[in-house]
Amino acid sequence: MKGLRCILLTLVAVQHTLSLKLLINRRIFYGSVASAATAIWSGKKAANAAPSPSPLTFTTSSSGLQWADAKIGNGPEPKQGLAVTVDYVLSTTGARYGTKIYSTADKGAPYRWKLGDGSTISGLEDAIVGMSDIPPMRPGGIRRVVIPSKLAYAELGKSNSCNGKAGPIPPVPEAFEEFQRFKNIYCNPERQYQPDVVMDIKLYGKRTLD
C-alpha cells in the first residue's frame, strides 16, 4: 500500500509540474510574439526585432477574438466595401518549432484587399472594422489579435489544398518555405485541431489597389 501511495503521489506531482509548464509556456508565447509586432512599427525585420517595451493587455470579444492595441491610429475608420492595406506578422500558437510563419514586412509586400469581398478571413476583417465590442482600427494603428479557428482557417483544415480559400496566405513562389509551413499547420486534415492564429497588424491610410 505504501508503494502504491508513493506512486500516486508521484503522478500527482508530475501532473502539477506539466500543468505549470503549459501555463508558463503560454505566457512565454504571448511575450515572444511581442517582438513580431515591434518589427512592424519599427520597420525592422521580425528576426532582428527588440522585445516589446511593455506587455499588452488583451480583451476577449463575444466572438472569442482577443485583441490588444500597441498603438492607436488616427484618421477615418475603415468601412465595408473600401480597400485597405496592412502589414502583418502571422504567427501560430501551435507550432512545434517556433511561432512565426510569415511577415509581409520581411518581403516588402503589404497585404491589400477590399473589405467584405470574401477574400480574407473574418477574424482579420473584424479586427480592422471592429464589432460591437471591438473598436475599429484607424490608419497608423497597430493591433495584435488572437483569432480562433472558426474565425480563421477552419475551412482549410478540411482539405490538403490552400488554393481558392480566404487569406491571407503566404504567397507562392515569393514565400514558398513560409507557405509550406502554413500548409502543414492550417491546410492539414490530419491535424486533430487547429491552433489559434496570432496576427500583428499595422493599418495604413488610403492606398490604391494595384
Side-chain angles (χ1 to χ4, degrees):
M1 292 296 292
K2 289 184 179 179
L4 178 60
R5 185 179 179 183
C6 290
I7 292 174
L8 290 175
L9 289 174
T10 301
L11 290 175
V12 170
V14 170
Q15 183 178 15
H16 176 74
T17 301
L18 290 175
S19 298
L20 182 61
K21 284 183 177 181
L22 286 173
L23 177 61
I24 293 173
N25 287 341
R26 189 172 181 84
R27 289 176 177 173
I28 290 174
F29 167 77
Y30 283 114
S32 67
V33 175
S35 64
T38 305
I40 290 181
W41 63 73
S42 68
K44 299 178 181 179
K45 292 188 176 182
N48 300 320
S52 180
S54 60
L56 297 177
T57 300
F58 284 88
T59 300
T60 302
S61 71
S62 57
S63 67
L65 186 146
Q66 300 176 58
W67 63 275
D69 283 324
K71 178 181 178 182
I72 304 296
N74 55 67
E77 301 174 0
K79 302 293 183 181
Q80 291 290 341
L82 296 180
V84 291
T85 302
V86 302
D87 263 323
Y88 69 83
V89 176
L90 174 66
S91 304
T92 178
T93 60
R96 181 178 299 177
Y97 306 107
T99 60
K100 178 185 169 186
I101 296 178
Y102 176 71
S103 167
T104 57
D106 286 353
K107 302 297 182 180
Y111 182 64
R112 302 179 177 93
W113 82 101
K114 183 178 291 186
L115 292 169
D117 68 1
S119 67
T120 299
I121 58 174
S122 60
L124 177 54
E125 293 209 343
D126 291 346
I128 292 175
V129 178
M131 301 174 62
S132 60
D133 52 358
I134 303 177
M137 293 185 69
R138 295 178 182 272
I142 298 168
R143 175 172 289 179
R144 180 176 305 145
V145 292
V146 182
I147 308 173
S149 175
K150 63 181 181 180
L151 302 177
Y153 302 108
E155 290 299 315
L156 294 183
K158 299 176 182 179
S159 69
N160 284 312
S161 175
C162 294
N163 297 330
K165 305 295 183 180
I169 296 173
V172 177
E174 297 87 351
F176 181 77
E177 291 184 4
E178 293 91 336
F179 171 79
Q180 289 298 323
R181 187 177 183 195
F182 175 89
K183 181 179 178 181
N184 290 337
I185 298 173
Y186 291 106
C187 304
N188 187 352
E190 295 183 1
R191 288 187 69 101
Q192 295 182 355
Y193 78 100
Q194 273 202 0
D196 293 341
V197 173
V198 181
M199 297 190 77
D200 294 305
I201 310 158
K202 179 174 182 179
L203 178 65
Y204 292 107
K206 185 177 181 181
R207 293 188 177 189
T208 59
L209 292 176
D210 295 334

